[in-house]
């Protein structure tokens, strides 16, 4: 069973406040802070739909046991920072990053770490909880590296949330109905969606 959490948040959003306001045709600053929260919410929604993250961020994944392969939960992975484990003496060790110790497949949608060409995964502590710790960097890079159709999907999501603030539903014939997520958002994101996640 894996636990995973973010350790370094993205330094920026894929779109700026000015870009979102231009899309919304908002020319006043009263709601800038609110629009910024919508940008973050829209980005997180789009990331969850795609099962991948956009702006560079660092995640830590903890495992109970070594499996072959280890599937990384947050994608797409850019680089591995470290692979640490507690040995049978309950001392933390860092597994040197070379193909003899472990092999990395970061080209697949779901990144994986396999046993090495020479060495199997080491024996680990049976008394330390979550004895394996994998730290890795995910995302396309900064905002300029994020594909333009992902950025546009985020703008559409921002507009959807901005225009439908109250529980995202509207009365139709005196009955409340949810306003569906714009299909254009899904259509823009579908090519980036990882359907087998983690």
């Amino acid at each position: 069973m894996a636990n995973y959490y973010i350790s370094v948040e993205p330094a920026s959003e894929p779109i700026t406040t000015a870009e979102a306001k231009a899309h919304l045709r908002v020319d006043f600053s009263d709601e800038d802070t609110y629009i910024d929260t919508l940008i973050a919410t829209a980005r997180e929604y789009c990331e969850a739909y795609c099962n991948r993250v956009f702006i560079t961020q660092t995640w830590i994944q903890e495992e109970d046991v070594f499996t072959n392969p280890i599937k990384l939960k947050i994608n797409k992975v850019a680089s591995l920072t470290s692979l640490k484990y507690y040995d049978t003496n309950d001392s933390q060790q860092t597994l040197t990053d070379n193909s003899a110790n472990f092999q990395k497949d970061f080209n697949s949608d779901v990144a994986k770490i396999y046993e090495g060409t020479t060495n199997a995964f080491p024996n680990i502590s049976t008394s330390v909880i979550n004895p394996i710790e994998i730290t890795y960097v995910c995302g396309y890079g900064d905002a300029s590296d994020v594909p333009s159709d992902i950025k546009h999907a985020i703008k559409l999501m921002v507009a959807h949330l901005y225009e439908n603030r109250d529980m995202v539903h509207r009365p139709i014939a005196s009955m409340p109905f949810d306003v569906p997520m714009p299909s254009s958002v899904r259509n823009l994101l579908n090519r980036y969606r990882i359907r087998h996640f983690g």
Side-chain angles (χ1 to χ4, degrees):
M1 188 70 178
N3 301 314
Y4 52 100
Y5 55 92
I6 193 167
S7 65
V8 180
E9 297 280 350
S12 65
E13 294 293 344
I15 64 171
T16 64
T17 309
E19 288 172 325
K21 289 173 68 176
H23 181 77
L24 295 170
R25 294 182 172 84
V26 170
D27 59 4
F28 50 86
S29 59
D30 298 19
E31 296 191 310
D32 282 10
T33 300
Y34 177 64
I35 290 170
D36 285 343
T37 65
L38 295 185
I39 292 170
T41 300
R43 185 256 304 165
E44 290 171 357
Y45 175 89
C46 292
E47 286 179 331
Y49 180 80
C50 290
N51 290 324
R52 71 168 71 225
V53 297
F54 305 146
I55 299 292
T56 297
Q57 46 199 268
T58 302
W59 285 75
I60 294 175
Q61 181 169 324
E62 298 172 331
E63 299 278 347
D64 293 329
V65 296
F66 276 117
T67 58
N68 188 32
I70 302 168
K71 295 181 179 180
L72 300 183
K73 296 295 185 181
I74 306 299
N75 288 275
K76 193 167 175 91
V77 174
S79 63
L80 180 76
T81 304
S82 65
L83 197 168
K84 298 180 180 181
Y85 66 98
Y86 282 88
D87 64 19
T88 53
N89 294 316
D90 296 342
S91 297
Q92 191 176 53
Q93 308 290 342
T94 299
L95 202 55
T96 302
D97 186 353
N98 60 51
S99 60
N101 288 331
F102 58 88
Q103 302 175 81
K104 299 172 290 188
D105 174 12
F106 293 168
N107 293 322
S108 300
D109 279 344
V110 177
K112 303 175 187 72
I113 299 175
Y114 292 84
E115 287 186 330
T117 55
T118 303
N119 303 318
F121 287 132
N123 294 324
I124 58 174
S125 170
T126 57
S127 57
V128 175
I129 298 172
N130 299 318
I132 301 163
E133 179 186 280
I134 308 164
T135 304
Y136 52 101
V137 177
C138 308
Y140 289 102
D142 59 23
S144 64
D145 299 310
V146 177
S148 58
D149 40 1
I150 289 178
K151 292 181 182 180
H152 193 66
I154 292 171
K155 291 177 186 177
L156 292 175
M157 275 297 304
V158 169
H160 176 76
L161 296 170
Y162 185 81
E163 294 166 6
N164 302 282
R165 303 186 186 199
D166 300 325
M167 302 296 291
V168 197
H169 69 258
R170 292 176 182 162
I172 300 176
S174 301
M175 296 291 291
F177 284 87
D178 286 343
V179 177
M181 195 57 55
S183 59
S184 53
V185 173
R186 294 191 298 271
N187 292 339
L188 286 166
L189 295 176
N190 275 340
R191 62 180 293 210
Y192 300 99
R193 194 176 192 194
I194 299 172
R195 297 183 185 275
H196 300 283
F197 185 44

